[in-house]
Amino acid sequence: MSLIEVRNVQKSYKGLTIFQDIDLTIEKGKIYGIVGPNGSGKSVLFKLICGFVRPDHGEILIGGEYLHKDITFPKNFGIIIDRPGYLGNKTGFGNLKSLAMIQNKIDDEQIIKTMNLVGLQPTAEQKVRKYSLGMKQKLALAQAFMENQEVLILDEPFNALDFESVEKLRSLLLNFKKEGKTIIMTSHNQEDIDLLCDEVYRINKFKLEEL
Amino acid sequence: MLKQQIGVEFKQIFTFNRVLTWFLIITLPVWIQYLIIHDGYSFTDNIDLYGRLLNGIGAMIFPILVLFVFADTIIHERNNNYLTYTKIRIDFNTYLNAKIMVNALLSFGVSFLYAFLPFLFAQYINPQVTFISKVGVSGNLHGTVTFDQLLVFGPFVYGFIYSLWVGINGVLYATLPLILCLILDNSFVALSIPFVWYQGMSFVSAVLGISKFAPLYTVFPYSIMQQKLWTVFVPFTILLITAIVSYVYLKKRNSTEWSF
């Protein structure tokens, strides 16, 4: 059974077509790359898979369950979509703690471990509103990784990261793959795609085509 | 999941700064009013003193005060894209309902205390300690403003029920902006609507000669002659229906897609 299945999905916004009858099958334990020009619909595809938007036509299955029928949102997904999200008046740890408390699956140790993993200092008192773009991106990565999710949906995960952090993240994603996690990502950097992805799809003229 | 999320919201909101904000909301407007009236004013009785204590800057900006009890948290969550990352962890409706419930409980508590503590002061503390001495010296009879009808049940029942009324209005004025924030693109407009209604409709009703339906006077009736009690429910009901319709619209819209 496929982990994620997108079947005959159509989507348009205010008369503007984004997708026409796209199909996509995601198998466990692989890294998938989605490429396409700005505005081609990469983020919309991710939002469709996460259940944030509904397809106009077609269906999406997550682990064999129909999105919006059997489940309202996929379980065990870690995501970055559009841009990092944060509470500016809290520290990095405070932000992650706030999100972790919702499902209460992990303890503070796991949060601290994840912050160290992405290169953030867990004990720093700095509020997130004072973070640089790169630090906010690392915080977004930490929230996606911290609950040890099976599927990672990462929209431009390398955004705003310095060279060293990019190298570290690449290695981290490859390790996640070895652990059996499934990753779907976008990147404008072809090197990231070439280095990491097992399968690559391009959004072209409202369709998804395998490269 | 709802119970769990309500617990999470409570845990997160009880910070030093937030509790200080609640304390200031409850005490500062009344304290300012106290400083204005404690010397040189005379009052027919304790209830008259109570009305004067409440009828100050706090009454004018009541919808703004209750915003800062809890509802403002949703603005930061929305504007900084934080909500996106809650969506993958909890069903939106559960999250929204938890926010609304916690907002309602806290805004009720703060609004109730905002009205009830000055009542305790005017009715029970001041007569003992005499912070304000000129009480019972003016010639006017009490029972001249709306809600004084309740005095036949005794002052405590009056103070308690009236404070409940202020608390319930606090819930409404805090809930509407929270919901509107998730519907309208402009947070400032969303937060302003209840205050504009409160002040704007009070002005309009005065112009139309129906001040008894002014939202301001139905919550803090100390600048208008006594009206029948049912009149206070008119603007309240309009606002309640607006809040319910907004809530239903938000849930319906987000059952198809998230637009924030």
Side-chain angles (χ1 to χ4, degrees), chain B residues 27-245:
Chain B
T27 59
L28 195 59
V30 176
W31 176 246
I32 292 170
Q33 191 65 6
Y34 170 83
L35 292 177
I36 293 170
I37 67 168
H38 85 286
D39 199 21
Y41 278 71
S42 59
F43 310 95
T44 55
D45 55 16
N46 296 334
I47 300 300
D48 186 28
L49 167 62
Y50 173 54
R52 292 292 181 91
L53 280 173
L54 273 192
N55 197 27
I57 180 77
M60 300 295 288
I61 60 168
F62 182 67
I64 296 176
L65 292 180
V66 293
L67 265 182
F68 293 99
V69 174
F70 180 83
D72 60 311
T73 59
I74 200 82
I75 307 163
H76 304 297
E77 294 189 11
R78 194 194 92 152
N79 291 351
N80 292 328
N81 204 32
Y82 177 85
L83 278 179
T84 300
Y85 297 97
T86 64
K87 286 186 268 179
I88 205 71
R89 293 174 165 89
I90 186 169
D91 175 66
F92 166 71
N93 287 333
T94 309
Y95 190 75
L96 176 66
N97 290 340
K99 283 267 176 203
I100 288 174
M101 283 182 197
V102 173
N103 183 49
L105 285 169
L106 291 174
S107 53
F108 175 80
V110 170
S111 305
F112 176 81
L113 290 176
Y114 172 81
F116 196 60
L117 292 183
F119 169 76
L120 293 180
F121 170 80
Q123 184 64 29
Y124 299 108
I125 299 171
N126 190 57
Q128 302 296 323
V129 191
T130 320
F131 289 105
I132 297 174
S133 56
K134 294 174 187 168
V135 179
V137 296
S138 157
N140 294 333
L141 293 172
H142 71 249
T144 54
V145 296
T146 316
F147 288 101
D148 281 0
Q149 294 96 322
L150 298 170
L151 282 169
V152 295
F153 302 109
F156 184 82
V157 173
Y158 160 82
F160 188 77
I161 293 180
Y162 173 66
S163 300
L164 283 179
W165 173 247
V166 175
I168 291 167
N169 275 277
V171 172
L172 202 51
Y173 279 102
T175 303
L176 187 59
L178 189 147
I179 296 169
L180 291 177
C181 253
L182 298 175
I183 293 175
L184 302 174
D185 289 335
N186 190 322
S187 304
F188 181 75
V189 172
L191 297 182
S192 303
I193 285 174
F195 180 68
V196 170
W197 156 265
Y198 184 76
Q199 286 292 354
M201 286 310 292
S202 296
F203 175 75
V204 170
S205 61
V207 170
L208 296 176
I210 48 168
S211 289
K212 61 185 174 188
F213 298 128
L216 169 62
Y217 298 148
T218 57
V219 186
F220 299 100
Y222 302 104
S223 301
I224 186 173
M225 284 170 59
Q226 188 180 73
Q227 304 295 327
K228 289 192 168 62
L229 273 177
W230 67 265
T231 58
V232 302
F233 291 103
V234 174
F236 176 84
T237 306
I238 294 171
L239 204 61
L240 180 65
I241 290 170
T242 308
I244 291 170
V245 169

Side-chain angles (χ1 to χ4, degrees), chain A residues 54 83 90 98 101 143, chain B residues 4 12 81 85 89 255:
Chain A
R54 281 184 187 232
R83 62 194 164 97
K90 290 192 174 188
S98 292
M101 282 164 76
Q143 67 77 29
Chain B
Q4 146 90 2
Q12 294 198 80
N81 204 32
Y85 297 97
R89 293 174 165 89
S255 68

Side-chain angles (χ1 to χ4, degrees), chain A residues 28-182:
Chain A
K28 186 175 160 51
K30 288 183 177 178
I31 302 183
Y32 293 84
I34 308 290
V35 296
N38 292 332
S40 59
K42 299 186 291 291
S43 298
V44 176
L45 176 64
F46 284 178
K47 286 178 183 174
L48 282 163
I49 292 172
C50 291
F52 297 170
V53 295
R54 281 184 187 232
D56 300 333
H57 181 262
E59 54 208 9
I60 296 166
L61 286 95
I62 310 289
E65 293 184 297
Y66 287 91
L67 205 51
H68 305 295
K69 287 178 190 162
D70 303 328
I71 51 172
T72 53
F73 66 97
K75 309 288 185 290
N76 296 320
F77 274 31
I79 65 164
I80 300 178
I81 292 182
D82 280 341
R83 62 194 164 97
Y86 57 90
L87 297 169
N89 61 345
K90 290 192 174 188
T91 63
F93 179 84
N95 267 266
L96 297 176
K97 176 82 177 166
S98 292
L99 287 170
M101 282 164 76
I102 294 174
Q103 294 193 323
N104 204 23
K105 293 201 299 196
I106 56 170
D107 57 15
D108 290 358
E109 278 306 306
Q110 185 62 32
I111 297 173
I112 290 167
K113 196 176 143 192
T114 312
M115 288 184 83
N116 286 323
L117 197 67
V118 298
L120 287 174
Q121 291 177 27
T123 53
E125 291 294 318
Q126 191 180 9
K127 305 291 185 206
V128 172
R129 65 169 168 264
K130 302 245 170 105
Y131 271 23
S132 66
L133 274 179
M135 287 171 79
K136 284 177 184 161
Q137 183 69 9
K138 287 178 182 177
L139 188 69
L141 290 165
Q143 67 77 29
F145 299 159
M146 68 180 175
E147 282 150 325
N148 199 25
Q149 307 291 40
E150 287 172 15
V151 180
L152 297 171
I153 303 230
L154 307 174
D155 190 2
E156 299 288 348
F158 298 98
N159 255 0
L161 296 183
D162 56 64
F163 176 75
E164 196 182 322
S165 301
V166 166
E167 289 292 308
K168 201 170 165 183
L169 180 58
R170 283 174 178 169
S171 141
L172 204 55
L173 293 180
L174 288 170
N175 278 340
F176 285 153
K177 181 188 155 187
K178 274 185 203 160
E179 291 168 12
K181 293 187 198 299
T182 307

